[in-house]
Structures are given as structure tokens and as C-alpha cells.
Amino acid sequence: MGDSAVPENYIPILIFIGVGIALGTLPLLIGKFVRPSQPYQAKLAPYESGSPLFQDARVQFPMRYYIIAMLFVIFDIEIVFMFPWAVAFNSLGLVGLIEMVLFIAILVVGFWYAWKKGALEWD
């Protein structure tokens, strides 16, 4: 080993980082200089389709949509955790069973809370 500030073992990592940054920024820079850029009034207007806006494009969605989306993500993640558990069920033993029952119990409590708060009512 030499007395250099960067050990020889880190040089390939630095090369990979440099190549990754170059491959990420080089196409963006090339595209910026190669693309046609001739803006005109209609092109700068929002919604280039040409149809006039009937109302403001920023519509407020009810909070219920976000809550239902979050519940979907939570239960989707639950299924993602249950597949590997089911595959390795025999090798996990009683500890694995108790952990999964606890995991499902926490999710059921959350689901029950959301149900009682009326988050699943679709008006």
C-alpha cells in the first residue's frame, strides 16, 4: 500500500461513480443543445391541445381518495410480506408464526380504526 490519500481499492468505485454521473448528465446536456427551441405563443400556453379551459385545472380531491390509496398501499405491502413468509413457513417455526400473527394484528387494528372513522364509506 502506498501513502496516497485514496487507497487503490476505491479507484474502481470512483470510476463507476464518474461513469454513472457522466451517463446521466451527458444525454441531458446533448439534448439541451441539439433540440429545436422555437417557442411561440400557442406553444407556451398551458394545454397545447387548443381547447379552451372550462374551469381551473387545479381540482381539489377529497381527502378520502388519499386515505383509500394509502390503505391500498398498506395492504399491498402486507401481501408482499406474506408471500415470502408462506414460502419459508416450515423453516421459521413458532417464532415466525407469532411474528406474522402480530404483524397481521397490527394491520387489522389499523383497518378497523379506518373503518370506524368512516374512511371506507364511498359517498
Side-chain angles (χ1 to χ4, degrees):
M1 256 198 206
D3 292 340
S4 65
V6 179
E8 294 83 24
N9 295 340
Y10 290 115
I11 292 175
I13 296 172
L14 293 175
I15 291 173
F16 278 137
I17 290 172
V19 168
I21 290 172
L23 287 177
T25 57
L26 192 63
L28 293 173
L29 291 174
I30 290 172
K32 182 176 182 176
F33 294 116
V34 173
R35 72 171 184 239
S37 179
Q38 299 168 348
Y40 51 92
Q41 189 62 32
K43 192 172 189 177
L44 293 176
Y47 303 106
E48 295 178 16
S49 64
S51 61
L53 297 175
F54 297 113
Q55 62 185 11
D56 190 17
R58 295 170 294 209
V59 177
Q60 289 185 348
F61 288 99
M63 195 65 184
R64 178 163 293 139
Y65 292 126
Y66 298 110
I67 292 173
I68 289 177
M70 287 301 295
L71 287 172
F72 173 77
V73 168
I74 288 170
F75 288 108
D76 198 37
I77 290 172
E78 177 188 7
I79 296 299
V80 166
F81 281 129
M82 287 180 80
F83 275 120
W85 173 77
V87 169
F89 177 73
N90 289 332
S91 64
L92 293 176
L94 184 62
V95 175
L97 178 65
I98 291 171
E99 288 178 359
M100 186 52 73
V101 167
L102 228 134
F103 177 70
I104 292 173
I106 291 170
L107 288 172
V108 166
V109 167
F111 180 69
W112 177 77
Y113 177 77
W115 193 340
K116 289 299 178 186
K117 283 292 193 178
L120 302 176
E121 298 294 325
W122 204 262
D123 294 333

